[in-house]
Amino acid sequence: MLVEALRHILLGSVRLLVGAHAHWLAPPPEGQCLYYANHSSHLDTLAIMAALPRRLRENTHPVAALDYWGKNAFTRFVAERGLDAVLVDRGGGGKSNPLEPLEALLEQGDSLVIFPEGTRGRGPIAPFKSGLYHLSRHFPETPLIPVYIDNLHRVMPKGHFLPVPVICSLRFGAPLLRRADEDKQKFLERAREALLDLGGSSLEEEEAP
């Protein structure tokens, strides 16, 4: 009961603060997906979870940074219990396979939300880390859905701790089709390009002087 109440409060607050309006450019998936998104704010995870239909959200786990969300008992509780997130050590933490907890969730049929840039940024989407490629290769039947989060960096940008109400929208693109014998670098560039295409004019406005 407490966990459900916390989740309701978190997601309701985000909708009230930023809207988190979802725009699906293809029909929403019926089952497991691997969502990947740009990353510009601590609120990105909350916004995506708030934008997903409940039937999809129930089995979706955002991937969150251990060094931020696990820094104290409260933020860890919010991430793991309130958002059903899986925390990963961006430095590897000495584990032989840092993707193991993510693979375990995909293996049982759940969905993930990941931020392949690896950290928050401002401006153009940074080159992707290799995790998206490895998960895609190990789970080739799982649809890859690009998600562009628009305007959220103005709510709670890097280095700021108090949110400012603005309207945020999320564009969910068509599944990224896999190509046979595509190497890691070409795959990551193509996945990033799909996200840039979703950003469209929003990215052009950010880059303008």
Side-chain angles (χ1 to χ4, degrees), residues 92-197:
K95 291 185 177 180
S96 57
N97 179 16
L99 297 179
E100 184 175 348
L102 312 186
E103 293 173 350
L105 289 169
L106 291 173
E107 190 68 42
Q108 69 184 32
D110 288 353
S111 298
L112 295 177
V113 176
I114 70 172
F115 301 96
E117 293 171 275
T119 188
R120 288 171 295 139
R122 175 69 173 90
I125 297 171
F128 286 178
K129 306 295 184 183
S130 62
L132 181 65
Y133 169 77
H134 293 301
L135 291 173
S136 172
R137 187 166 61 89
H138 293 157
F139 297 89
E141 301 304 316
T142 302
L144 297 169
I145 308 293
V147 184
Y148 183 77
I149 308 172
D150 189 17
N151 213 31
L152 198 54
H153 64 276
R154 294 186 173 92
V155 181
M156 198 170 180
K158 193 169 184 177
H160 291 68
F161 302 96
L162 295 176
V164 177
V166 298
I167 297 300
C168 161
S169 63
L170 295 90
R171 292 193 280 277
F172 291 76
L176 184 73
L177 300 178
R178 291 168 174 82
R179 295 176 181 172
D181 302 322
E182 187 173 38
D183 66 26
K184 180 175 69 175
Q185 189 59 37
K186 288 182 179 179
F187 168 83
L188 293 175
E189 289 174 356
R190 190 164 61 87
R192 178 175 176 269
E193 191 65 34
L195 204 52
L196 288 168
D197 288 345

Side-chain angles (χ1 to χ4, degrees), residues 7 10-12 14-15 19-20 22 24 35 37 43-63 78-79 81-86 111-115 147 149 152 170 172:
R7 188 170 301 174
L10 286 171
L11 300 184
V14 169
R15 294 189 188 104
W24 294 85
Y35 304 96
L43 293 179
D44 291 340
T45 298
L46 283 161
I48 290 179
M49 295 301 286
L52 286 174
R54 183 172 182 176
R55 64 180 176 81
L56 298 178
R57 187 171 64 243
E58 288 178 346
N59 295 310
T60 298
H61 305 269
V63 178
V78 168
R81 302 299 300 278
L83 297 175
D84 212 9
V86 54
S111 298
L112 295 177
V113 176
I114 70 172
F115 301 96
V147 184
I149 308 172
L152 198 54
L170 295 90
F172 291 76

